[in-house]
Amino acid sequence: MNINTKQNTNFGAYHIANCNNLKIYKVVDKQDLNYLKELPEKINMKKLMPNLREQEYSRWQEMLEYAIDNATYPKNTTYLSVKNNTPCGIITFLKDKITELDCICTWPVEYGKKVKFAGQTLFYQMFLDFLKINGKKIKLEAITNGPYDTISKYENLGFKQLETLPTKVKMEITSPKVKKTFETLTHKFDYETTELEKINLFQELSV
């Protein structure tokens, strides 16, 4: 479904990189946020991925909405991953020496099929930002009541568990581990930066 608008195309997101078969866009202004705010109404997890429990669908949708809410904070950095001009993931984080990952959420664009490397691609971009500022560590809270095992995914990226809470686990990764994981992903991914190109998400993408 295409979403069209007459908004000024002089403003909009930056297409910053291509990674394997995905594009990465950086959200930079209010128009981008308006696009993001429409995504929860257009993306139906239940129709995209079969055989999950009702509470798992609800939690998945909640995480998408939470990520978009966090994207509205001016201090946060937000990236959107896109496959075939259709969004498939979002990550938002506070970039600092101690970076805080607020939320990452990915979803299918085809019925019953996860987008390969959608989450890892967004982590790769965050790691790249983190290394550029010589960050010390990245902190996150992994949910334990979602549709998939996020703990093991983060551990595979080098994060370690710090504290277990009722519905989440606090985790972190230090700079040496980030560098090691980043090097591993660099060999796995075909990542190319693009000339900074501002695009109108409403006109460029569909959901």
Side-chain angles (χ1 to χ4, degrees), residues 1-200:
M1 175 178 176
N2 292 320
I3 305 175
N4 295 315
T5 179
K6 296 181 179 179
Q7 288 151 309
N8 191 336
T9 56
N10 290 327
F11 301 92
Y14 282 116
H15 175 203
I16 64 164
N18 297 319
C19 187
N20 292 352
N21 63 340
L22 303 179
K23 293 182 178 180
I24 303 175
Y25 293 88
K26 184 175 184 178
V27 173
V28 294
D29 65 22
K30 186 176 180 180
Q31 176 183 291
D32 302 335
L33 295 175
N34 289 338
Y35 175 86
L36 294 182
K37 288 175 182 177
E38 292 192 14
L39 287 182
E41 298 177 3
K42 308 296 182 181
I43 296 169
N44 188 320
M45 303 303 186
K46 188 179 296 187
K47 289 183 178 180
L48 289 169
M49 185 61 72
N51 303 323
L52 297 178
R53 293 178 296 174
E54 190 65 35
Q55 67 183 45
E56 292 173 330
Y57 287 121
S58 297
R59 185 62 166 145
W60 200 353
Q61 198 79 27
E62 179 184 327
M63 293 310 297
L64 171 60
E65 294 172 1
Y66 182 72
I68 291 170
D69 285 343
N70 278 275
T72 64
Y73 299 144
K75 291 184 178 181
N76 279 359
T77 298
T78 301
Y79 292 105
L80 197 65
S81 61
V82 174
K83 180 180 180 181
N84 298 331
N85 291 334
T86 302
C88 60
I90 183 173
I91 190 170
T92 179
F93 57 95
L94 178 62
K95 183 168 61 177
D96 205 339
K97 291 295 184 181
I98 299 180
T99 292
E100 296 184 14
L101 171 61
D102 282 323
C103 193
I104 180 171
C105 183
T106 63
W107 55 90
V109 298
E110 299 176 83
Y111 179 77
K113 295 182 180 180
K114 293 182 181 180
V115 177
K116 192 174 183 179
F117 300 136
Q120 289 187 27
T121 296
L122 291 171
F123 266 103
Y124 185 82
Q125 185 62 53
M126 181 178 68
F127 287 164
L128 179 60
D129 285 12
F130 174 81
L131 293 173
K132 284 181 178 178
I133 64 170
N134 297 314
K136 295 182 178 179
K137 66 175 64 174
I138 301 173
K139 302 166 66 176
L140 62 80
E141 294 181 347
I143 63 170
T144 56
N145 60 347
Y148 301 106
D149 176 15
T150 59
I151 306 297
S152 62
K153 291 180 182 295
Y154 298 151
E155 286 179 332
N156 288 338
L157 289 169
F159 286 86
K160 66 177 182 179
Q161 298 186 37
L162 298 178
E163 181 183 0
T164 301
L165 302 173
T167 60
K168 57 190 176 183
V169 175
K170 292 185 177 182
M171 306 180 75
E172 72 174 26
I173 184 172
T174 58
S175 180
K177 283 282 190 179
V178 171
K179 291 178 181 177
K180 184 176 180 180
T181 301
F182 185 79
E183 290 174 3
T184 299
L185 293 177
T186 296
H187 292 300
K188 180 189 296 186
F189 292 162
D190 181 16
Y191 180 95
E192 290 183 308
T193 58
T194 61
E195 291 187 16
L196 284 184
E197 172 192 5
K198 268 196 171 184
I199 61 97
N200 184 317

